[in-house]
C-alpha cells in the first residue's frame, strides 16, 4: 500500500503481513483435519495397531496448533483480526486512493469505490460474531486449560461462563475445524481489503485436502503391516 499520513498505515501493514503468514501456515493443518474427521479410512489405518499411536500423536499435535491459530487470530491484542478491525476504521478513502495509484490502468469499477466502508463493516460484524460464538468459548477454554496453563476445569473463562449460567462443554474436532475455516476466510477478507491481494483459501484448502485424503488412502492398515513384520521375523 502507498504511504498515508495516518499513523494506522504502518500498523495495518504489519498486522496484515502477520495475518497472511499465519493463514498460509494454517491452511494445511485445516485441510489435514478436514481429511481426518469423518473419514472411515483413518479408523481402518490406525485401529488395532501399536504404530498407529504415532499417527494419533500427529492428529493431536495438529488440532492443538489449530486451536492456537484460532486464539491468536481472534485475540484482542497483537496482530489479530480485532486489532485489524480497530485500526482500519476511517481508512476507506486511503484504501480507495491506494488502489487507484497501484493500478492506474484498471477500470474504475474494479476498485470498489464507495463500497470499501461496507466491506469493513461486514468484516467487523463477522469477526464479532466469531468472538461471541460457542465454538470460540470452547476453544479458548481448551487453550487455557489444556495447552497453555494446565488449569483444567478452573480457568477464568470457564468460571466467567459458568457464573452467567452458560453450560460449558468440551471442544470437539468439528468445532475447531469450523472455527478455523471461519477464521481463515475472515483473514482472507482482511488481507483483500487492505492489500487488494486475494489469498484464495478455497483453492488452497481444496488441493491440500485432496493430498491429505490421498495419504490416508495410500497407507495400508498398520495392524496388517505389524503382523507381516512379526511373521517375517519368525521366519
Amino acid at each position: 500500500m502507498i504511504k498515508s499520513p495516518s499513523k494506522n498505515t504502518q500498523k495495518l501493514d504489519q498486522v496484515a503481513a502477520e495475518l497472511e503468514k499465519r493463514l498460509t501456515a494454517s491452511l494445511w493443518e485445516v485441510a489435514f483435519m478436514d481429511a481426518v474427521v469423518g473419514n472411515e479410512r483413518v479408523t481402518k489405518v490406525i485401529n488395532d495397531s501399536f504404530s498407529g499411536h504415532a499417527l494419533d500423536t500427529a492428529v493431536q499435535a495438529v488440532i492443538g496448533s489449530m486451536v492456537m491459530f484460532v486464539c491468536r487470530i481472534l485475540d484482542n491484542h497483537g496482530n489479530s483480526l480485532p486489532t485489524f478491525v480497530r485500526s482500519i476504521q476511517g481508512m476507506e478513502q486511503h484504501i480507495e486512493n491506494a488502489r487507484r495509484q497501484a493500478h492506474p490502468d484498471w477500470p474504475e469499477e474494479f476498485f470498489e469505490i464507495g463500497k470499501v466502508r461496507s466491506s469493513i463493516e461486514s468484516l467487523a460484524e463477522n469477526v464479532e460474531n466469531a468472538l461471541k460464538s460457542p465454538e470460540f468459548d470452547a476453544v479458548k477454554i481448551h487453550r487455557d486449560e489444556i495447552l497453555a496453563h494446565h488449569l483444567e476445569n478452573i480457568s477464568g473463562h470457564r468460571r466467567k461462563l459458568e457464573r452467567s449460567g452458560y453450560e460449558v462443554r468440551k471442544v470437539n474436532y468439528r468445532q475447531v475445524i469450523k472455527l478455523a475455516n471461519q477464521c481463515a476466510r475472515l483473514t482472507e477478507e482482511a488481507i483483500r481489503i487492505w492489500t487488494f491481494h486475494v489469498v484464495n483459501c478455497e483453492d488452497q484448502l481444496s488441493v491440500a485436502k485432496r493430498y491429505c485424503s490421498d495419504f490416508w488412502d495410500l497407507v495400508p492398515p498398520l495392524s496388517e503391516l505389524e503382523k507381516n513384520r512379526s511373521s517375517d521375523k519368525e521366519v
Side-chain angles (χ1 to χ4, degrees):
M1 302 293 291
I2 64 171
K3 294 299 180 183
S4 161
S6 170
K7 63 181 180 180
N8 286 338
T9 302
Q10 186 175 1
K11 177 67 174 177
L12 283 163
D13 285 341
Q14 174 188 327
V15 174
E18 184 62 27
L19 286 173
E20 184 166 4
K21 183 168 71 174
R22 291 178 184 172
L23 174 62
T24 301
S26 73
L27 291 177
W28 269 91
E29 295 174 342
V30 175
F32 177 81
M33 286 307 302
D34 219 8
V36 166
V37 176
N39 186 350
E40 295 181 359
R41 180 65 188 172
V42 176
T43 304
K44 292 180 181 178
V45 168
I46 294 177
N47 267 12
D48 302 321
S49 70
F50 296 101
S51 53
H53 289 293
L55 283 175
D56 185 58
T57 299
V59 169
Q60 297 306 316
V62 170
I63 203 72
S65 183
M66 285 173 61
V67 166
M68 296 308 295
F69 162 70
V70 167
C71 289
R72 288 171 182 146
I73 287 291
L74 293 178
D75 193 88
N76 198 40
H77 306 285
N79 298 316
S80 65
L81 285 173
T83 298
F84 179 89
V85 167
R86 288 193 299 270
S87 300
I88 205 170
Q89 298 303 314
M91 297 291 286
E92 300 88 359
Q93 192 63 56
H94 168 73
I95 292 170
E96 292 174 359
N97 290 339
R99 291 178 180 181
R100 285 190 177 108
Q101 292 184 36
H103 306 283
D105 299 328
W106 286 17
E108 185 79 358
E109 58 267 23
F110 281 19
F111 302 131
E112 301 176 341
I113 303 302
K115 298 179 181 179
V116 174
R117 182 175 181 179
S118 63
S119 294
I120 293 172
E121 290 174 348
S122 178
L123 175 66
E125 181 180 356
N126 289 328
V127 169
E128 186 66 20
N129 289 338
L131 289 168
K132 292 179 178 178
S133 68
E135 289 85 5
F136 187 50
D137 284 326
V139 164
K140 280 203 299 184
I141 289 172
H142 182 80
R143 186 271 312 270
D144 291 346
E145 297 187 352
I146 305 299
L147 298 178
H149 308 299
H150 297 283
L151 299 171
E152 193 164 1
N153 296 323
I154 59 170
S155 65
H157 193 60
R158 177 186 289 273
R159 293 199 303 271
K160 176 183 175 182
L161 292 174
E162 288 178 340
R163 283 196 300 269
S164 66
Y166 183 87
E167 182 182 358
V168 178
R169 296 183 178 179
K170 187 177 180 180
V171 68
N172 59 58
Y173 289 166
R174 292 191 186 278
Q175 286 179 311
V176 177
I177 293 170
K178 175 184 176 182
L179 193 52
N181 266 294
Q182 186 178 358
C183 286
R185 283 157 177 76
L186 291 174
T187 302
E188 176 185 0
E189 176 63 0
I191 294 166
R192 187 195 69 80
I193 291 172
W194 181 244
T195 68
F196 213 40
H197 161 62
V198 178
V199 176
N200 201 334
C201 292
E202 195 65 41
D203 284 354
Q204 293 187 47
L205 284 170
S206 177
V207 171
K209 183 179 179 180
R210 185 172 72 249
Y211 290 153
C212 290
S213 296
D214 285 347
F215 167 79
W216 292 107
D217 289 340
L218 292 169
V219 176
L222 295 174
S223 60
E224 293 181 9
L225 292 180
E226 291 170 357
K227 289 176 182 177
N228 292 336
R229 186 175 67 172
S230 297
S231 299
D232 292 341
K233 287 182 178 179
E234 291 174 1
V235 174

